[in-house]
Amino acid sequence: MGENMLEVEIAGIKMKTPVIAASGTFGFGLEYTDFIDLNKIGAISVKGTTLKPRAGNSGCRIAETPAGMLNSIGLENPGAEHFLAVTLPKLAAYNVPVIVNISGSTVEEYGELAAMLDVPGVAALEVNISCPNVKHGGLVFGTDCNSAASVTRQIKKSTKKPVIVKLSPNVTDIATMAKAVEEAGADAISLINTLLGMAIDIKSWRPVLGNTVGGLSGPCVKPVAVRMTWQVASAVQVPVIGMGGIMTGQDAIEFLLAGACAVMVGTANFVNPRAMETVAAEIKEYLLARGLKHVSELVGQVRV
Amino acid sequence: MTLPKTVEEASVVEHVWLSNQVRKLVLYAPQIAKEAVSGQFVHLRVADQIDPLLRRPISLSSADAIDGKISLIYRVVGHGTERLSRLSFGEIVDCLGPLGQGFALDAVRPLLIGGGMGIAPLVFLAECLRPAPIEILLGGRTKEELFWTEIFKDNCEQLHITTDDGTLGTKGVTLDILPELLQHGKFDRIYVCGPRPMMEGAAKIAKEFGITCQVSLEAHMACGVGACLSCTCAGKNGKRHKICSDGPVFWAEEVF
């Protein structure tokens, strides 16, 4: 019983569970094969990929904070060509949808990346318009409706793949951003990216992170993420993928009730490399205990 | 090369103070003990709760495939290690490992150089290099930091000590006496783990003497398996290295 109760389809991406690896926290999936069966997770959103290789930020890149962490990796990655030539063929050995998270510094660059990645083996693109750790692009596109919309349009013109736009929480009104990218053609919306934060070493009086500020993630951001997921899901018609501090199935269920059709698990992968397996199993247990037949019965059912 | 890694519920067999800040934790972790090589580390979840959230990477000071035990020597420095230091006999700790790439064990006449907590992985290394004749050079600020001499005394031919204040061995730092040691010894390899300036300095001197050198780097890390890229460093010709999975042990010329 309950064989298919976790299966979902979002923007044409068929997934065995609604639990997806969040970009930047699961490498390219291959780093985790000793711990978790990639065939059993919903999908993998791979490490943010750019047109050219990036070395990322210098200095200290992570800082632990109460029930969370700050990071300022700065999109270190081997570039799209390397991804296509080396990584994607390796991922073909697994039966799991591969979502490629992309970042550009200009609208044209996003388009170029999207076109390059319009190849078999790529299930969808997730557009990072909200990386807080890079100077050009990233957050700039994520905090301005018009820029976010033009990036989305450019990508939609350049690929036939489903396009998921990942929103930044570092905005005044997230619902307006969501509507802007929906109108520009986004097939789905994922949120939240990390919250801009800062930690200071009181011994040296210096910022802990080499980049001064960084993105906050982990359980501490969950209430903000649930609230934004609810606001966005209430404002748009396209499917919403919720994330932010999910450690357990119970956490994931909050996002589903808020209106997310699927969730992404991020920081939890660092703490427990099998977290996604546990989260999916706990969602299923919850459904069974409540006599529900399918995970979709939870979506958006919060009684406000 | 990728070695098998696992998540193991390890139980505390022994937990003792070696100095007023440093503890030795012995865990029964048979799967990790079976696979581990010197230079590797484990990634410990110090609490079931979400605070402290991240695992703590700690180098292996020993691993015995036969009795299934691993030992970790760590300094209580912050939130995580303070929490770790509260573990008592029989308690379970979630242990991810063994992680990273270890030392090359092909040395015939090795010199091991350690400073601070960088000495911890050298304990395992010395054990693994036997029966090769081993010499060890340890540096510390003061005599109290060098409780390590007891640990090494049965596993080496000769132990050289420097302290900043001269309370034990030669007054000064390891790099002061390294050239002289290399002049008189017939070393074919040096292994260094300690503060970065010490490792860079030792690597430079080793190069001058035409001796191969391995260093073990340290960095803040989240995942420990090469996914988060918190711990990467620049190598030669623009190459990027992940300290957690390409290292922590590197040939000096790869990273300096």
Side-chain angles (χ1 to χ4, degrees):
Chain A
M1 184 193 156
E3 279 302 295
N4 306 318
M5 65 199 307
L6 293 184
E7 277 180 17
V8 293
E9 185 174 332
I10 291 176
I13 318 160
K14 288 196 175 75
M15 300 187 280
K16 286 168 213 146
T17 85
V19 184
I20 306 166
S23 178
T25 65
F26 202 62
F28 294 96
L30 303 163
E31 294 85 346
Y32 278 96
T33 50
D34 275 352
F35 307 106
I36 190 164
D37 184 356
L38 300 185
N39 300 302
K40 287 184 181 161
I41 56 183
I44 300 169
S45 182
V46 300
K47 172 69 190 167
T49 297
T50 51
L51 208 48
K52 296 273 172 290
R54 281 181 61 100
N57 291 324
S58 54
C60 180
R61 291 175 169 192
I62 54 163
E64 194 176 53
T65 56
M69 62 175 282
L70 287 164
N71 87 79
S72 60
I73 310 298
L75 284 176
E76 173 166 354
N77 80 95
E81 271 176 36
H82 184 272
F83 172 76
L84 286 168
V86 180
T87 316
L88 194 59
K90 287 184 192 162
L91 284 167
Y94 301 91
N95 179 19
V96 61
V98 174
I99 300 170
V100 187
N101 181 288
I102 56 169
S103 257
S105 47
T106 61
V107 172
E108 292 69 31
E109 212 175 289
Y110 276 102
E112 206 178 321
L113 260 168
M116 264 179 95
L117 292 161
D118 195 1
V119 297
V122 173
L125 298 179
E126 181 178 48
V127 188
N128 182 359
I129 52 165
S130 48
C131 181
N133 292 323
V134 293
K135 288 206 172 64
H136 302 287
L139 199 53
V140 181
F141 295 111
T143 52
D144 174 66
C145 283
N146 294 329
S147 314
S150 40
V151 168
T152 308
R153 270 193 297 273
Q154 184 73 25
I155 292 167
K156 280 299 289 179
K157 265 196 283 181
S158 317
T159 181
K160 287 183 278 306
K161 304 285 179 192
V163 174
I164 306 163
V165 179
K166 185 170 184 177
L167 298 184
S168 169
N170 304 305
V171 294
T172 314
D173 181 2
I174 191 124
T176 309
M177 291 299 301
K179 280 190 265 191
V181 299
E182 180 185 45
E183 210 178 284
D187 299 291
I189 289 170
S190 60
L191 78 160
I192 59 172
N193 204 322
T194 54
L195 283 147
L196 204 53
M198 181 173 178
I200 297 171
D201 179 354
I202 62 164
K203 281 186 221 125
S204 64
W205 296 17
R206 291 177 188 281
V208 177
L209 294 175
N211 194 45
T212 307
V213 297
L216 183 66
S217 65
C220 61
V221 310
K222 197 188 78 179
V224 177
V226 171
R227 183 263 295 177
M228 288 189 159
T229 299
W230 175 68
Q231 287 178 321
V232 167
S234 311
V236 299
Q237 303 301 313
V238 294
V240 172
I241 301 169
M243 80 192 94
I246 296 175
M247 304 291 287
T248 65
Q250 290 70 26
D251 295 335
I253 289 160
E254 279 195 60
F255 283 86
L256 297 169
L257 290 170
C261 304
V263 295
M264 287 186 175
V265 170
T267 304
N269 295 315
F270 302 151
V271 180
N272 171 14
R274 295 179 184 143
M276 283 187 282
E277 221 170 72
T278 325
V279 169
E282 287 172 354
I283 296 173
K284 189 168 171 177
E285 258 171 56
Y286 179 89
L287 295 175
L288 289 171
R290 298 199 156 232
L292 299 169
K293 292 193 177 60
H294 194 265
V295 64
S296 59
E297 291 171 60
L298 297 173
V299 176
Q301 294 306 307
V302 61
R303 296 167 184 154
V304 184
Chain B
M1 184 177 60
T2 309
L3 297 164
K5 303 182 276 278
T6 184
V7 189
E8 193 163 20
E9 298 283 300
S11 58
V12 177
V13 177
E14 192 189 333
H15 204 176
V16 292
W17 290 100
L18 299 181
S19 79
N20 60 359
Q21 284 184 319
V22 177
R23 294 203 86 171
K24 177 183 172 186
L25 175 65
V26 183
L27 298 170
Y28 179 67
Q31 294 182 62
I32 292 172
K34 196 176 80 181
E35 303 294 345
V37 297
S38 72
Q40 288 190 294
F41 65 99
V42 290
H43 214 17
L44 294 182
R45 194 166 174 195
V46 298
D48 287 340
Q49 290 84 18
I50 52 171
D51 195 50
L53 182 66
L54 299 174
R55 289 173 180 268
R56 297 298 190 269
I58 301 179
S59 62
L60 288 161
S61 286
S62 76
D64 188 333
I66 296 162
D67 70 10
K69 291 178 191 169
I70 59 172
S71 71
L72 313 169
I73 299 175
Y74 66 95
R75 178 154 48 195
V76 182
V77 282
H79 197 28
T81 44
E82 191 280 320
R83 184 68 211 228
L84 186 64
S85 75
R86 288 192 233 156
L87 282 177
S88 54
F89 180 84
E91 280 193 89
I92 301 294
V93 54
D94 180 329
C95 199
L96 186 67
L99 302 179
Q101 310 295 329
F103 291 106
L105 298 175
D106 56 342
V108 181
R109 284 279 305 169
L111 173 66
L112 281 55
I113 308 172
M117 290 312 294
I119 300 169
L122 302 183
V123 176
F124 193 10
L125 176 61
E127 204 182 286
C128 295
L129 286 169
R130 292 303 253 172
I134 298 168
E135 289 191 37
I136 296 175
L137 168 57
L138 302 180
R141 267 173 300 202
T142 182
K143 188 182 168 186
E144 283 69 41
E145 273 187 19
L146 291 165
F147 53 86
W148 303 96
T149 52
E150 270 303 299
I151 298 172
F152 282 108
K153 70 178 192 315
D154 299 326
N155 242 349
C156 69
E157 303 301 308
Q158 221 179 329
L159 196 56
H160 312 273
I161 307 278
T162 64
T163 48
D164 295 358
D165 62 2
T167 47
L168 193 69
T170 310
K171 187 172 193 280
V173 296
T174 52
L175 296 182
D176 297 340
I177 66 167
L178 181 59
E180 199 189 317
L181 286 177
L182 295 184
Q183 219 136 44
H184 297 116
K186 294 188 171 66
F187 302 109
D188 67 331
R189 167 79 44 80
I190 69 172
Y191 299 97
V192 205
C193 189
R196 199 175 169 100
M198 174 186 154
M199 291 195 282
E200 281 179 7
K204 192 164 162 257
I205 295 168
K207 195 175 174 188
E208 283 161 17
F209 281 84
I211 300 171
T212 58
C213 174
Q214 283 203 312
V215 296
S216 178
L217 304 187
E218 189 180 46
H220 289 286
M221 55 183 71
C223 72
V225 297
C228 72
L229 309 186
S230 301
C231 68
T232 58
C233 67
K236 289 276 172 286
N237 307 319
K239 194 169 160 44
R240 303 288 305 173
H241 296 291
K242 300 170 183 178
I243 289 175
C244 67
S245 58
D246 298 328
V249 177
F250 293 96
W251 292 102
E253 62 271 20
E254 289 181 282
V255 287
F256 291 153

